[in-house]
Amino acid sequence: MKLRLFFLLLLAQQAVVSAEEVKFGKVSEEEVSATQHALYPEANAAILHKNEWVRYNYQYETGWSLVREVHYRIKIYNKEGFDWATLQVPLYAGGTNKEDISSIKGFTYNMVNGKVVDTKLKNDGVFIEEVNEYRNKASITMPEVKEGSVLDIEYKIVSPMYWSIDEFKFQYDIPVDDVEIRLEIPEYFYFKQYSRGFHAIKFDQSNENRTINVSYRSSDQTGSLGRTTRTSGTLNFLENIYTMKASGIPALLEEKYTSNINNFRTSIKFELASTRFPNQPFKNYSLTWEDVAKSIYDYDSFGDELNRKNYFDDDVDQVLNGLSSDSEKAMALFQFVKNKMNWDNFVGVGCSSQGIRKAYKEGKGNVAEINLMLIAMLRYAGLQADPVLVSTRSHGIPLLPTSDGFNYVVAGLQLDNGFVLLDATEKNAFPDVLPMRALNWFGRLIKEDGTSVQVDLTPKTKSLDAVMMSVDLNDDGSIHGRYRQQYTANNAFIFRNNFGEGSEDSYLDELEKRYGDLEISDFELQNQDDLSKPVVQTFSYSKESAYEEIAGKLYLSPLFYLTTSENPFKTEKREFPIDYGYPWTDKYLITINIPEGYAVESIPEPIAVALPENMGQFKYIISAENNIINARVETELNTHVIPASYYPDLKEFYGHIVKKEAEKVILTKL
């Protein structure tokens, strides 16, 4: 304990010193020679220092721009940390709003014969590539990286999007010893600040007068040639200075059942709230969810596309011919769009520049094009359908109203028997069965009058995984029997997608390996294409060494290869909620036929365990009669998100499951 406290104090002292003295290219011998992190010896790499300086610049011809200068000092401890030898820098590249990276410098420092030797980053270590029509990516790959290397990297980004300041990150998947950020914002802009994460950030604000040199072109009114000349001047204004510092930030590591780790990353986001320029009226950018929804609906590539119908009317008339009920019409149109359209894997709330008509003609489009098309068709059929804005799980949870809070859209349909959600981007989709990427707490339904309401995206029906298994015990320790498994709702959707990715043989090979060298035969799959019914798979199986024989007694786990062998939650504490995506129920009904010449000596005791607040339960019931053992095991989660405060309860809950399912049935020889 005293040693750990010493390291904590040492690291804190180093952080204070480093914030003042760390300069690019000035690396100490101690930094290079270190073989492990002082506080986190298991770390593969660490950010020893990160410095960002973000400020505004002004040119008369181009207006305001943002300049971001960044310095990283990264320590590589072992080969597993080599991924950090390449720094990935995202760059926006949409239309005229293109971000440029420049002033890239770097050195790799290594210990060679007891001395620090540096290797300079060369031009061939920098590569800029196009990711998509809106994004570029700069990759900075450092030279001569070895175990123990220290990397010093600097670069500058100039962005014309002065209204959008990138989120400041203080936490990564490796420890961060020291971060210092300085943000300078002219008095003409007012930004709100939002923070997330669980680690302290020292935040200070002050004011300074600033003068910047500006240049502009002016016409020569006296000259007969009407020449244009460049004139220089100065611009004076008050500037708000924000300094943000943090030290000793642990690595942010993925844990099981976490929706999006970025939702919990220690960071600060600045969002433009208003502007007040000289001789111009005050402009408010603060948004409510109503403002966000209305602004998106007003996009030409959103609201206008919902009103177009002349590209599909003839086709839709044929689809609707002979159908009378609203449910029939809705299902027919949903199936029609799924069959006709193929998703291009692009998300967003607006149609691409090609427009929805061309997407329909080509049979391929992004999320907005496909689902806005579906909504337009449903409305054409006289149904009450509206777009529902969603933030995908990878995009994060929009806790506060922001213009970029949503990046996905699905259809919301009101029928006589209730409200359903539809997403036509997936061939195996079904009403109220959204892909996992869209199951992210809440969405926002936009009505035709521009008003909006919050929509719960959680599936209304629990997904079922039901297994019925018969087991015959053989004298040699092997088993054989029949297996029947049924999937419903989101479980069925996931199964159909996974099964469709490969051949039946590859699926069975993977299944046999997953269950420990199981041998499967007589495989059958029912309702693979009938999405209205559960998926059912059945097969015969055999498995060697499935139980133990000791001194004439047989010891076996009633669940055999279905046993939960380990607790998925191992850490002492957890800072993030547990997110399963959707509520579910697993049911196992197992019949074990006792071989002749044996009798039941003992079976496990039944048990029932419940989570607080009716969040879930586990039931284990087993009985023996007439040479047959019947086991019924059921695990149920009634909510898809469990707060971190209940993590100890959930960990204990799974502990009971593992312990109980490990208990043996004992058969004795007569």
Side-chain angles (χ1 to χ4, degrees), residues 354-408:
Q354 71 173 6
I356 203 168
R357 181 191 298 271
K358 188 174 181 182
Y360 182 81
K361 181 179 179 181
E362 295 180 351
K364 186 177 182 180
N366 64 24
V367 165
E369 288 161 347
I370 292 174
N371 285 327
L372 293 181
M373 179 189 302
L374 172 62
I375 296 165
M377 291 180 182
L378 293 169
R379 288 180 175 180
Y380 177 81
L383 305 179
Q384 185 180 337
D386 295 295
V388 177
L389 301 175
V390 175
S391 174
T392 60
R393 294 168 75 86
S394 62
H395 190 61
I397 300 169
L399 300 176
L400 299 164
T402 62
S403 57
D404 59 353
F406 298 109
N407 69 330
Y408 202 88

Side-chain angles (χ1 to χ4, degrees), residues 131-181:
V131 178
N132 55 48
E133 60 180 312
Y134 303 108
R135 286 285 177 184
N136 290 337
K137 179 178 68 177
S139 299
I140 305 171
T141 301
M142 299 301 292
E144 292 296 320
V145 175
K146 305 173 183 177
E147 292 182 330
S149 295
V150 172
L151 317 177
D152 238 14
I153 306 168
E154 273 192 347
Y155 59 85
K156 179 171 73 174
I157 296 175
V158 177
S159 172
M161 297 179 294
Y162 62 86
W163 57 88
S164 177
I165 299 176
D166 287 345
E167 186 175 48
F168 294 108
K169 296 179 181 178
F170 294 81
Q171 193 173 25
Y172 295 82
D173 61 1
I174 57 176
V176 180
D177 288 358
D178 170 61
V179 183
E180 182 173 356
I181 294 170

Side-chain angles (χ1 to χ4, degrees), residues 571-610:
T571 58
E572 288 300 315
K573 61 180 182 178
R574 177 166 170 144
E575 296 175 327
F576 323 134
I578 297 88
D579 189 340
Y580 289 95
Y582 51 86
W584 51 267
T585 299
D586 289 350
K587 291 183 178 180
Y588 298 153
L589 298 175
I590 300 169
T591 300
I592 304 172
N593 297 308
I594 301 172
E596 286 190 22
Y598 284 88
V600 175
E601 179 178 299
S602 66
I603 58 175
E605 291 291 329
I607 190 176
V609 181

Side-chain angles (χ1 to χ4, degrees), residues 170-230:
F170 294 81
Q171 193 173 25
Y172 295 82
D173 61 1
I174 57 176
V176 180
D177 288 358
D178 170 61
V179 183
E180 182 173 356
I181 294 170
R182 178 181 173 94
L183 172 62
E184 303 172 359
I185 301 179
E187 60 181 300
Y188 314 124
F189 305 92
Y190 172 68
F191 282 80
K192 291 181 179 178
Q193 305 102 45
Y194 307 115
S195 61
R196 69 177 78 193
F198 303 95
H199 301 281
I201 299 172
K202 184 180 179 182
F203 188 97
D204 291 314
Q205 182 179 354
S206 59
N207 303 106
E208 293 180 7
N209 289 309
R210 184 180 173 193
T211 299
I212 61 174
N213 296 320
V214 297
S215 62
Y216 56 91
R217 294 184 183 275
S218 59
S219 298
D220 182 357
Q221 302 296 331
T222 60
S224 60
L225 298 178
R227 293 175 299 178
T228 300
T229 59
R230 180 173 294 277

Side-chain angles (χ1 to χ4, degrees), residues 152-439:
D152 238 14
I153 306 168
E154 273 192 347
Y155 59 85
K156 179 171 73 174
I157 296 175
V158 177
S159 172
M161 297 179 294
Y162 62 86
W163 57 88
S164 177
I165 299 176
D166 287 345
E167 186 175 48
F168 294 108
K169 296 179 181 178
F170 294 81
Q171 193 173 25
Y172 295 82
D173 61 1
I174 57 176
V176 180
D177 288 358
D178 170 61
V179 183
E180 182 173 356
I181 294 170
R182 178 181 173 94
L183 172 62
E184 303 172 359
I185 301 179
E187 60 181 300
Y188 314 124
F189 305 92
Y190 172 68
F191 282 80
K192 291 181 179 178
Q193 305 102 45
Y194 307 115
S195 61
R196 69 177 78 193
F198 303 95
H199 301 281
I201 299 172
K202 184 180 179 182
F203 188 97
D204 291 314
Q205 182 179 354
S206 59
N207 303 106
E208 293 180 7
N209 289 309
R210 184 180 173 193
T211 299
I212 61 174
N213 296 320
V214 297
S215 62
Y216 56 91
R217 294 184 183 275
S218 59
S219 298
D220 182 357
Q221 302 296 331
T222 60
S224 60
L225 298 178
R227 293 175 299 178
T228 300
T229 59
R230 180 173 294 277
T231 304
S232 297
T234 58
L235 182 64
N236 302 304
F237 51 87
L238 188 66
E239 197 160 53
N240 294 306
I241 310 297
Y242 301 90
T243 57
M244 295 155 274
K245 299 179 181 179
S247 60
I249 304 292
L252 182 69
L253 301 177
E254 287 279 0
E255 296 189 44
K256 281 184 176 290
Y257 307 111
T258 300
S259 60
N260 180 355
I261 199 71
N262 287 317
N263 292 330
F264 314 104
R265 188 183 304 279
T266 301
S267 59
I268 293 181
K269 173 67 176 176
F270 283 73
E271 182 86 12
L272 182 62
S274 61
T275 57
R276 187 187 296 275
F277 295 106
N279 304 317
Q280 292 186 27
F282 171 83
K283 191 166 184 179
N284 183 30
Y285 293 92
S286 292
L287 300 174
T288 64
W289 285 123
E290 293 286 332
D291 296 329
V292 171
K294 188 176 186 309
S295 66
I296 292 175
Y297 201 93
D298 289 342
Y299 291 168
D300 292 341
S301 60
F302 191 95
D304 286 353
E305 296 290 4
L306 284 172
N307 297 321
R308 303 185 194 280
K309 60 183 180 181
N310 57 359
Y311 64 91
F312 64 65
D313 49 0
D314 291 340
D315 293 338
V316 170
D317 287 341
Q318 292 183 32
V319 173
L320 298 175
N321 185 35
L323 302 180
S324 56
S325 73
D326 287 350
S327 295
E328 287 178 321
K329 294 176 182 178
M331 284 302 299
L333 291 174
F334 186 39
Q335 194 62 44
F336 172 71
V337 175
K338 288 196 299 173
N339 290 341
K340 179 175 179 56
M341 299 301 297
N342 293 293
W343 181 40
D344 62 8
N345 294 320
F346 277 91
V347 298
V349 295
C351 300
S352 64
S353 56
Q354 71 173 6
I356 203 168
R357 181 191 298 271
K358 188 174 181 182
Y360 182 81
K361 181 179 179 181
E362 295 180 351
K364 186 177 182 180
N366 64 24
V367 165
E369 288 161 347
I370 292 174
N371 285 327
L372 293 181
M373 179 189 302
L374 172 62
I375 296 165
M377 291 180 182
L378 293 169
R379 288 180 175 180
Y380 177 81
L383 305 179
Q384 185 180 337
D386 295 295
V388 177
L389 301 175
V390 175
S391 174
T392 60
R393 294 168 75 86
S394 62
H395 190 61
I397 300 169
L399 300 176
L400 299 164
T402 62
S403 57
D404 59 353
F406 298 109
N407 69 330
Y408 202 88
V409 59
V410 300
L413 176 64
Q414 185 65 53
L415 295 171
D416 291 339
N417 58 350
F419 179 80
V420 296
L421 295 167
L422 306 171
D423 184 350
T425 62
E426 294 281 354
K427 303 299 183 185
N428 293 317
F430 196 71
D432 268 344
V433 177
L434 299 179
M436 184 67 82
R437 60 178 174 271
L439 293 177

